[in-house]
Amino acid sequence: MSGFGDLNALSELLQTTSEDVQQDTTAAQHAAHFGGGAAPTTVVAKQPKKEEPKKDEGEIWDVDEVPDEEGLKLQQPQGGDVKDGRAVCKHEIYFKQSVDSSDVYLGLSDKTPGSTDCTHIVVKAHFPEHALKDIELDVTKNVLTADSDRFRLKVYLPQPVDPDEGSAKFDSKTFILTVTLPVLEKEW
């Protein structure tokens, strides 16, 4: 049984190169000049195909499918600039799920440990050497924005949330702002 590599090798053998076209044209011209054979024919030269880089079978996306860094920049608020001199604060996004013993031990519900069954999104942002009064927080259905004089954070949330039902707390010992937002399950 022949493999894919055998088909590629056969394809390369059958491709016409520019040298083959040149030899065929020269032979046809000699034959017409000396009266042998048929009238000269026009040979159309095929352009050799450019070799495409070999694709890794384990890759999910091609290089051209991944947007560049400019395509990934978040839209800034009015008057805001991406390069405004403030650092982006360190942050983590967690998924929170309401489970009880019947879910954990008995498996009686249809909940899975995946993010699709989560009820809340928790965002933890680190604002070192800050007080709560120094931080401005704004939450919409899809975006969380937290700003201070030295740090900024603007992230798109992985699921739509209800900003009016969320809660936030600031730990002045660790300088961590924790924002808990309920997921809008109907829109997810």
Side-chain angles (χ1 to χ4, degrees):
M1 180 174 199
S2 65
F4 185 73
D6 295 338
L7 290 174
N8 280 339
L10 181 61
S11 174
E12 289 175 11
L13 285 174
L14 295 176
Q15 285 181 347
T16 305
T17 64
S18 59
E19 291 176 5
D20 294 338
V21 171
Q22 182 67 26
Q23 290 175 354
D24 290 344
T25 305
T26 305
Q29 289 173 349
H30 286 305
H33 180 70
F34 293 111
T41 59
T42 305
V43 178
V44 177
K46 284 185 174 180
Q47 295 293 330
K49 293 183 180 179
K50 294 181 182 177
E51 288 188 30
E52 293 182 18
K54 292 188 178 185
K55 295 180 182 178
D56 184 9
E57 297 295 327
E59 289 185 0
I60 298 172
W61 296 287
D62 289 336
V63 174
D64 57 342
E65 291 178 319
V66 178
D68 60 348
E69 190 173 337
E70 284 294 317
L72 296 176
K73 285 189 178 173
L74 298 176
Q75 189 178 37
Q76 295 296 310
Q78 289 181 345
D81 184 14
V82 174
K83 298 183 183 200
D84 66 357
R86 295 180 295 167
V88 176
C89 68
K90 180 181 171 191
H91 65 281
E92 298 93 25
I93 299 176
Y94 299 99
F95 293 97
K96 186 176 178 183
Q97 193 176 72
S98 298
V99 294
D100 59 15
S101 60
S102 65
D103 297 320
V104 176
Y105 297 110
L106 301 175
L108 296 177
S109 71
D110 59 349
K111 288 185 181 178
T112 65
S115 62
T116 56
D117 288 328
C118 291
T119 57
H120 292 78
I121 293 177
V122 179
V123 180
K124 291 189 176 187
H126 301 263
F127 285 92
E129 305 300 322
H130 279 72
L132 179 60
K133 64 180 179 167
D134 300 332
I135 302 169
E136 183 179 323
L137 178 66
D138 182 39
V139 180
T140 63
K141 187 167 126 178
N142 296 311
V143 179
L144 179 137
T145 306
D147 290 314
S148 74
D149 58 343
R150 290 182 288 155
F151 292 97
R152 65 182 167 86
L153 174 66
K154 185 168 186 173
V155 293
Y156 283 104
L157 299 169
Q159 296 174 353
V161 298
D162 185 357
D164 299 327
E165 297 296 320
S167 65
K169 68 178 183 176
F170 185 74
D171 187 351
S172 59
K173 292 179 183 176
T174 59
F175 304 109
I176 296 176
L177 174 68
T178 304
V179 182
T180 304
L181 302 162
V183 173
L184 293 173
E185 296 176 26
K186 293 179 183 177
E187 295 186 29
W188 171 240

